[in-house]
Amino acid sequence: EEQDDMRAIVGLGLQTTLVAWCRMSRKDLDAALATGVRAVNLSTPVSDTQIQLKLGRDRRWVLANVAQMVAMARDAGFDDVRVGGEDASRADQDFVAEVACTAAAAGARRFRYADTVGLLEPFGTFERISRLRAATAIELEIHAHDDLGLATANSLAAVRAGADFVSTTVNGLGERAGNAPLEEVATALSVLHGRDCGVRLAQLPAISQLVAEASGRPVPVGKSVVGDAVFTHESGIHVDGLLKDPRTYQGLDPARLGRHHRLVLGKHSGTASVRRAYAELGLRLAEDEVQRLLGRIRVHAGSTKRAPTADELLGFWHETRAPRPYVAGTLN
C-alpha cells in the first residue's frame, strides 16, 4: 500500500523532490526503487544506545554499512542520496561527524541530524551543528522533535549554526509531540532572520486548515501563526493601542499571512473597543453610553463566556437608551 501511494504521488508530476525514507537496508532500498522516486533517505542509528540495544551492532559496522548502502543506492540509479543520523542528539558527536564524512565520501548529498527523542535545546543545538558544519561540507538538515516544545527554536538555532535544511511538517504533525511546524519555521525565518525559504506565507493558513481536515486533528485556536485567535484582541489597552497605530501591539503583520487583526468584546475590553464595535453598527455613542454599555458587555461576557453578537449589541444599546424601572433581582 505504501508503494502504491508513493507511485500515485510520483504520477502527479509535482514540482517538488519526492524522497523515500528507508532504513539502511537493501530490502528498503529495493522497495523505494520500485516507487519511481529519484531521491532516498537512508536512516541509521548513530547513538551507542540504539546501535547496541536496537541493532546489536557496533560503530565500526555502522560506518561500513553507511559506505556500502550509499554506494549501492547511487549504483541503483538514485540521483539524490541522503543519510539520516537517528538519535544523533544523544550520540558521541565525534562519531556523528565521522558518519557524515563517511556518507559524503560514499556519494551522499545530505546528512540529517535527528533529535529523535526531542531532548535538544537551542544553545546545545547551535554548538553541535556548528561543530558538525566545521567537520564536513555535506549538506546538513536538522530534524527536530517537539517533546519539550523546542522543535522550532532548535531548528532556528541549527540554521544559524550552518544547517542548510529543516525537516518540517504542516501543523507539526509527527510522532509523539510532533516535529517542527512548517508554518512556524518558515514565518520565523522570514520575520526574525529575513530569510526567504521559498514558502508563500500567505498560503500557510489554507494549507494548515487543509491538513487539519485531512488528518482529523484540529488546529488549537491559540496555535502560533495559524490559530484562529492569534490576531484576536480583547484587552482594552491592546485595542486602544492598535486603533491608534498597529505597531504598538503588532510584532508580526497578519497581512504577511493573508490575515488581519480581529477585535472582540469581552470582560477585558475598554471604551475604545466599545466605540469601534458600535461605530461598525452605524451608531455613534456619547461618553455616558459608552460607560453603561461597557458594563453591560462585561457582565454578558462573564456569564456567557463569549463575545456578544451584533444583535445582542443592538439590544444592549436599546436597553441603555430606555432603562427599565428597577426591580429587585434583575439587571436594570
Side-chain angles (χ1 to χ4, degrees):
E1 290 181 6
E2 288 286 302
Q3 287 178 315
D4 289 342
D5 289 344
M6 293 168 71
R7 276 191 286 264
I9 296 172
V10 171
L12 294 175
L14 302 174
Q15 294 182 358
T16 187
T17 300
L18 302 176
V19 186
W21 187 96
C22 303
R23 294 168 297 181
M24 195 160 287
S25 72
R26 180 59 189 260
K27 180 181 178 180
D28 280 15
L29 186 61
D30 289 342
L33 193 62
T35 66
V37 300
R38 305 311 307 158
V40 64
N41 177 83
L42 301 171
S43 183
T44 182
V46 292
S47 69
D48 290 334
T49 299
Q50 289 205 2
I51 294 171
Q52 296 169 8
L53 300 182
K54 188 170 74 170
L55 299 183
R57 301 286 189 171
D58 57 22
R59 294 183 183 184
R60 185 167 50 187
W61 180 89
V62 169
L63 293 174
N65 198 42
V66 167
Q68 179 183 14
M69 291 304 304
V70 170
M72 187 179 297
R74 292 299 303 269
D75 291 342
F78 284 101
D79 306 318
D80 183 346
V81 180
R82 309 170 186 194
V83 169
E86 188 178 7
D87 208 21
S89 55
R90 293 194 299 174
D92 178 331
Q93 298 305 294
D94 287 335
F95 181 64
V96 172
E98 193 173 358
V99 172
C101 291
T102 299
R109 173 178 178 176
R110 185 184 306 179
F111 179 78
R112 173 189 285 175
Y113 189 102
D115 182 22
T116 304
V117 294
L119 289 180
L120 278 179
E121 46 79 32
F123 301 101
T125 301
F126 184 88
E127 179 183 355
R128 290 160 183 251
I129 299 301
S130 295
R131 182 175 172 180
L132 184 57
R133 176 77 289 164
T136 177
I138 195 173
E139 291 179 354
L140 295 180
E141 177 179 340
I142 180 68
H143 180 86
H145 279 265
D146 207 31
D147 296 71
L148 297 178
L150 294 171
T152 296
N154 288 332
S155 297
L156 296 179
V159 171
R160 290 293 301 271
D164 306 286
F165 298 92
V166 178
S167 297
T168 65
T169 62
V170 176
N171 297 339
L173 296 185
E175 295 203 50
R176 304 187 312 278
N179 295 95
L182 167 68
E183 58 277 7
E184 293 181 13
V185 173
T187 303
L189 284 173
S190 176
V191 173
L192 300 179
H193 301 300
R195 297 186 65 152
D196 178 11
C197 50
V199 175
R200 287 184 286 173
L201 302 185
Q203 298 299 316
L204 288 173
I207 192 66
S208 170
Q209 185 58 37
L210 178 65
V211 170
E213 293 173 358
S215 64
R217 294 173 64 175
V219 176
V221 295
K223 169 71 174 65
S224 55
V225 182
V226 294
D228 283 345
V230 173
F231 297 106
T232 299
H233 308 269
E234 176 189 321
S235 170
I237 57 173
H238 283 213
V239 172
D240 180 61
L242 282 168
L243 291 175
K244 291 174 179 175
D245 190 316
R247 291 174 296 179
T248 56
Y249 283 97
Q250 175 178 286
L252 168 61
D253 185 354
R256 298 184 67 174
L257 301 166
R259 304 185 64 180
H260 55 80
H261 290 294
R262 186 166 68 96
L263 308 183
V264 298
L265 294 171
K267 68 177 183 177
H268 299 115
S269 294
T271 55
S273 301
V274 175
R275 290 194 190 91
R276 178 186 175 90
Y278 279 93
E280 291 177 348
L281 295 174
L283 296 173
R284 185 174 181 179
L285 303 178
E287 184 59 32
D288 61 329
E289 289 181 298
V290 173
Q291 295 297 333
R292 290 199 301 271
L293 287 167
L294 178 57
R296 184 70 182 86
I297 289 166
R298 287 176 172 173
V299 169
H300 174 275
S303 62
T304 66
K305 309 304 180 187
R306 63 172 176 81
T309 65
D311 287 342
E312 287 170 333
L313 288 176
L314 288 173
F316 300 160
W317 182 73
H318 285 299
E319 290 175 11
T320 60
R321 295 281 290 181
R324 294 168 294 178
Y326 175 77
V327 177
T330 66
L331 179 65
N332 188 19

